Amino acid sequence: MVNYEHYTYKITWSSEDQEFVGLCAEFPSLSYLDENRNATLEGITNLVKDIVTDMENNNEEIPEPIAEKSYSGKFQVRITPELHRKLAIEAAEEKVSLNRYVNYKLG
């Protein structure tokens, strides 16, 4: 059983709605609006709880919380040859490996 409290929640202000909006990274189609920041967090959390319960009852695949996933520290990204050359030059100028330089730039 997935613990709905372990999902990645975000509360932000919506100028368009003039309310706080609650979001959940694992359920990008869901949102919850409220005038109160704390009520927004409670609202989106309860909404996700209801969705997870419904998905469990229907034997649907439930997204794993991002916080509970394991990451290798490796991922592959494709860039243009020109950008690859530019980054390699910058790394050489800094006297570090390309991997270390890109890691620094991403951080």
Side-chain angles (χ1 to χ4, degrees), residues 35-98:
E35 296 174 352
N36 179 283
R37 177 185 292 271
N38 294 331
T40 304
L41 177 58
E42 185 176 338
I44 188 63
T45 305
N46 287 334
L47 179 58
V48 168
K49 177 184 177 183
D50 292 344
I51 295 295
V52 168
T53 300
D54 187 55
M55 291 176 80
E56 285 175 344
N57 291 338
N58 290 307
N59 295 318
E60 294 179 45
E61 187 174 338
I62 301 167
E64 182 181 3
I66 293 170
E68 294 179 357
K69 290 183 180 181
S70 296
Y71 294 92
S72 68
K74 297 178 185 179
F75 69 97
Q76 207 170 33
V77 62
R78 299 204 184 280
I79 59 176
T80 64
E82 295 80 18
L83 180 56
H84 192 167
R85 181 181 301 107
K86 177 182 181 274
L87 291 170
I89 291 168
E90 291 174 5
E93 289 171 346
E94 294 291 324
K95 296 179 179 52
V96 296
S97 69
L98 178 58

Side-chain angles (χ1 to χ4, degrees), residues 2-9 24-27 63-72:
V2 173
N3 187 335
Y4 67 92
E5 292 183 345
H6 293 183
Y7 284 118
T8 307
Y9 295 99
C24 180
E26 293 85 350
F27 292 90
E64 182 181 3
I66 293 170
E68 294 179 357
K69 290 183 180 181
S70 296
Y71 294 92
S72 68

Side-chain angles (χ1 to χ4, degrees), residues 18-38:
Q18 290 296 296
E19 290 184 300
F20 291 100
V21 59
L23 305 167
C24 180
E26 293 85 350
F27 292 90
S29 63
L30 299 180
S31 64
Y32 186 89
L33 291 167
D34 199 284
E35 296 174 352
N36 179 283
R37 177 185 292 271
N38 294 331

